[in-house]
Amino acid sequence: MKTQEFDFNVDSRIMPNDPVELRGKSRDSGRMVVLTRSASKIEHTVFTSICDYFRPGDLLVLNDSYMLSNTLRFQSGSESAKITVYGHEADGMSIVGIKSEQLSAKPGFNLTSTDNDRLTCSFLESQPDELWKARFEPIELLTPTLDQYGERFDETVPLNPAQWKETPQAYRSVYAKAPGSLEIPSAGLHFSQKLLAQAAAKGVEMAYITLHVGATEVLAVRHISAEEIENHKVRSEYFEVNDKAATQINRARAEGRRIIAVGTTVMRTLESLAASKETSCTVEAQAGWTDLYIYPGFEFKVVDVLLTNLHRPRSSHIVLTAAFAGKDLVMRSYDEITEKGGYEFDMFGDSMLIE
């Protein structure tokens, strides 16, 4: 399938740089587009109405990961550089970028953190898009050092450094508890505690999984530059599904209740659990890595409803939504969105519910 089929006009698109709460509104105040697959129907509404689309017995699956700072200062001798961590891989390596006026990366290049001299970074192999495969040692120091001393570097949606440091809760979901993402799991940002309570009162059950967002969210990775979508690749990301969540998912499936994935991270995690199984098989609790790339033709085995944000053209995210809802319906919805104008895109933007 040609990648150009996932282009659309972006002239009316708004790309906020800050979470909605830091723009004087409540986090659940955004707009929402609802796609009903069975009727090929598109509806424009607001996020506060989402409980109207839930049914008693639905299982709402939420990603409890939250975003860390991603950039630390390192040095080699008297020269310094900023290292931005974009993701981690199953072999223990990390995907990084380097910014320095004095230093040039090359294989075998070693640096030491200026914030914790026990933490080192060794460059191993160059990667596409000016990225590098690197090894942090000891790796268990990286997350706490990022959490305590790190900065944010974002190539597409530059965050306000002061707000990021002073109001970190605005950049994470109200149910987030697991540090580890290097970009925001953004679909869950829309839920307030009040809306979650309304959903629970309606009989909606909630389950929590963890996927730490990594290099799949880097624009150079999620933007599809290949002429055909089948030739694109996403990078691996780490996930955890515990016994309780697996039991909830299996029980909902056995009882014919809908499973609602809040975000593409949850979609990829749940479908990864069942990718090598028969549709009727149970899923198992596990921790591991997924490089699942979902595009039209994919057979969905777990998820019945998807909540996601509004995505960029030619991205792996819009291709995933097209696989789930059908390309024609999704692209027709984006035509309506851009015609109406005023919709906000990307991590701090509006949402789409596909049922």
Side-chain angles (χ1 to χ4, degrees):
M1 185 176 287
K2 297 295 184 184
T3 305
Q4 66 185 21
E5 296 180 49
F6 298 91
D7 271 325
F8 58 88
N9 188 313
V10 297
D11 291 345
S12 67
R13 179 181 63 181
I14 301 169
M15 298 278 287
N17 288 342
D18 301 302
V20 65
E21 286 182 310
L22 301 182
R23 292 181 275 137
K25 296 181 282 188
S26 62
R27 65 169 61 219
D28 57 10
S29 64
R31 300 165 79 178
M32 182 172 70
V33 182
V34 180
L35 308 188
T36 304
R37 293 178 291 169
S38 60
S40 194
K41 176 184 172 186
I42 303 168
E43 182 181 356
H44 297 262
T45 183
V46 291
F47 192 80
T48 49
S49 70
I50 192 167
C51 289
D52 295 341
Y53 299 90
F54 293 160
R55 302 172 188 169
D58 282 345
L59 179 63
L60 193 66
V61 186
L62 305 151
N63 182 5
D64 64 9
S65 178
Y66 66 82
M67 182 176 75
L68 297 165
S69 294
N70 65 350
T71 302
L72 290 168
R73 189 176 294 276
F74 283 74
Q75 64 184 20
S76 177
S78 61
E79 311 295 344
S80 65
K82 286 187 174 182
I83 305 296
T84 297
V85 187
Y86 289 110
H88 305 293
E89 301 205 325
D91 59 3
M93 302 299 104
S94 300
I95 303 300
V96 305
I98 182 170
K99 296 283 185 185
S100 176
E101 296 180 357
Q102 305 137 327
L103 297 172
S104 297
K106 57 185 178 182
F109 187 45
N110 298 305
L111 302 99
T112 302
S113 167
T114 60
D115 299 302
N116 186 336
D117 60 11
R118 293 177 54 211
L119 179 64
T120 63
C121 178
S122 303
F123 282 68
L124 302 176
E125 181 184 341
S126 64
Q127 302 286 292
D129 307 308
E130 300 182 353
L131 300 176
W132 281 83
K133 184 174 281 194
R135 178 189 292 113
F136 290 97
E137 293 181 308
I139 187 63
E140 58 267 20
L141 283 183
L142 181 60
T143 293
T145 306
L146 283 169
D147 212 12
Q148 185 173 358
Y149 301 107
E151 307 169 20
R152 279 298 307 180
F153 172 75
D154 295 274
E155 58 184 333
T156 55
V157 183
L159 306 187
N160 181 304
Q163 290 181 337
W164 164 247
K165 285 293 187 183
E166 294 166 6
T167 55
Q169 298 297 330
Y171 295 84
R172 62 184 69 161
S173 63
V174 296
Y175 49 80
K177 63 180 182 181
S181 282
L182 295 161
E183 294 290 344
I184 297 176
S186 54
L189 292 179
H190 301 282
F191 282 103
S192 61
Q193 293 288 11
K194 180 180 177 181
L195 269 183
L196 290 174
Q198 287 180 11
K202 190 168 184 175
V204 175
E205 184 183 4
M206 294 169 203
Y208 299 91
I209 61 95
T210 302
L211 181 138
H212 293 314
V213 182
T216 293
E217 283 294 325
V218 178
L219 181 60
V221 176
R222 60 177 157 136
H223 177 80
I224 301 176
S225 55
E227 288 188 11
E228 297 183 348
I229 61 171
E230 292 84 356
N231 295 329
H232 183 67
K233 293 186 182 300
V234 299
R235 291 187 178 271
S236 295
E237 292 171 315
Y238 178 77
F239 71 87
E240 295 179 2
V241 178
N242 62 25
D243 288 333
K244 180 180 179 181
T247 298
Q248 290 175 286
I249 293 163
N250 287 325
R251 187 170 58 231
R253 295 175 76 203
E255 295 173 356
R257 295 185 282 122
R258 298 191 307 174
I259 295 176
I260 303 173
V262 177
T264 58
T265 61
V266 175
M267 170 72 87
R268 292 178 65 233
T269 300
L270 297 187
E271 293 299 333
S272 294
L273 296 179
S276 60
K277 297 176 178 287
E278 296 295 325
T279 303
S280 59
C281 287
T282 59
V283 301
E284 298 172 0
Q286 59 184 280
W289 295 81
T290 179
D291 60 359
L292 181 64
Y293 170 40
I294 296 175
Y295 55 88
F298 181 82
E299 180 187 358
F300 292 91
K301 298 176 181 177
V302 180
V303 175
D304 302 295
V305 180
L306 171 66
L307 175 69
T308 188
N309 275 23
L310 300 185
H311 301 300
R312 297 167 184 259
R314 298 177 68 103
S315 65
S316 58
H317 292 54
I318 198 169
V319 164
L320 181 153
T321 61
F324 190 64
K327 181 181 75 71
D328 291 344
L329 181 60
V330 166
M331 299 314 296
R332 184 157 57 89
S333 74
Y334 275 88
D335 286 342
E336 287 192 13
I337 287 165
T338 54
E339 275 183 34
K340 287 179 177 292
Y343 274 95
E344 297 178 343
F345 281 66
D346 224 21
M347 67 176 72
F348 303 130
D350 295 314
S351 61
M352 176 179 286
L353 182 70
I354 304 172
E355 57 176 6

